[in-house]
Amino acid sequence: DAGVTQSPTHLIKTRGQHVTLRCSPISGHKSVSWYQQVLGQGPQFIFQYYEKEERGRGNFPDRFSARQFPNYSSELNVNALLLGDSALYLCASSLVPTPNTEAFFGQGTRLTVV
Amino acid sequence: AQSVTQLGSHVSVSEGALVLLRCNYSSSVPPYLFWYVQYPNQGLQLLLKYTSAATLVKGINGFEAEFKKSETSFHLTKPSAHMSDAAEYFCAVIGAGGTSYGKLTFGQGTILTVHP
């Protein structure tokens, strides 16, 4: 079975541009979460979606937005990119968003803002 | 609010030596705790998790962790390090209530280096 897949794997953007990152969860998983991992730090929670509804949002500016589609895939959008947005963006999927349910992570998208 | 603190950003051991990676948690409710491993340029892989069923948790690749409520700790150990264990390790807690329900909060990570 395919794991969590993210696309693209790498991309380079210029300050001020917009970017869309994509995530396909494991088949049957209905919850998707996004995390930002800046170099040298642990991942930071950005968003959680379940059944196409936002279930939580981390401490990120409104430039960050996301959505989940009927097939449970998800997009993370970032507007007006800043140099500080350079990071590894991780997507995690789980059957349901409960504490004792394992989250499976994708390989991530490495975003570089220049 | 819940949080985890990993003591030591870098740990270096010899192949065959004991691995000990330290994690302390802060949580107002009984926590669900996790250890993840991250190899270079890859995502996170779950090593083990504590969900209150047993205080000593065994994971993959020979790793285990012991939940100690009195010390608010969840340290990761492996009796004998292997070269393939070289990676970055993250301790994490997941919210069991309120606005943090179902969200992972990670520590800063510990880079494990294994010398031949």
Side-chain angles (χ1 to χ4, degrees):
Chain A
D1 287 340
V4 179
T5 56
Q6 293 186 240
S7 62
T9 55
H10 296 80
L11 75 165
I12 300 174
K13 291 286 188 178
T14 304
R15 278 178 298 175
Q17 285 189 316
H18 164 271
V19 69
T20 297
L21 310 180
R22 295 176 174 83
C23 172
S24 293
I26 292 171
S27 178
H29 286 195
K30 298 182 178 181
S31 179
V32 169
S33 298
W34 288 94
Y35 292 82
Q36 180 197 63
Q37 186 179 15
V38 173
L39 194 62
Q41 297 183 19
Q44 297 288 320
F45 170 75
I46 310 176
F47 285 108
Q48 184 182 76
Y49 277 79
Y50 177 59
E51 292 279 19
K52 303 178 287 294
E53 292 189 0
E54 182 181 306
R55 284 299 190 92
R57 182 188 182 112
N59 188 25
F60 281 80
D62 292 343
R63 299 184 296 107
F64 288 76
S65 63
R67 55 180 175 170
Q68 187 177 33
F69 298 98
N71 65 354
Y72 303 109
S73 66
S74 178
E75 283 183 354
L76 175 69
N77 296 282
V78 187
N79 293 322
L81 285 166
L82 303 174
L83 295 179
D85 296 330
S86 296
L88 180 67
Y89 289 84
L90 295 165
C91 173
S93 80
S94 60
L95 283 168
V96 291
T98 57
N100 61 348
T101 304
E102 182 176 348
F104 294 83
F105 284 81
Q107 298 284 74
T109 294
R110 174 74 63 185
L111 171 65
T112 302
V113 182
V114 297
Chain B
Q2 59 196 19
S3 64
V4 290
T5 302
Q6 292 183 240
L7 304 177
S9 58
H10 290 80
V11 170
S12 180
V13 300
S14 298
E15 191 173 19
L18 171 72
V19 175
L20 171 60
L21 305 182
R22 301 177 186 272
C23 173
N24 287 90
Y25 70 89
S26 173
S27 176
S28 58
V29 297
Y32 291 85
L33 295 162
F34 303 79
W35 276 99
Y36 284 88
V37 61
Q38 186 176 37
Y39 297 98
N41 300 313
Q42 293 191 25
L44 300 171
Q45 181 183 9
L46 180 67
L47 280 176
L48 49 81
K49 63 179 179 181
Y50 168 76
T51 57
S52 76
T55 57
L56 182 62
V57 182
K58 294 187 182 298
I60 63 172
N61 302 338
F63 284 94
E64 63 182 36
E66 186 173 7
F67 174 76
K68 292 187 176 180
K69 184 177 180 180
S70 60
E71 299 177 6
T72 62
S73 68
F74 190 57
H75 302 332
L76 182 70
T77 60
K78 182 174 181 178
S80 177
H82 191 272
M83 296 295 288
S84 61
D85 295 327
E88 188 162 18
Y89 293 79
F90 292 94
C91 181
V93 62
I94 198 166
T99 58
S100 63
Y101 185 81
K103 287 82 173 176
L104 285 163
T105 300
F106 289 87
Q108 293 287 80
T110 298
I111 295 173
L112 175 66
T113 302
V114 183
H115 297 287

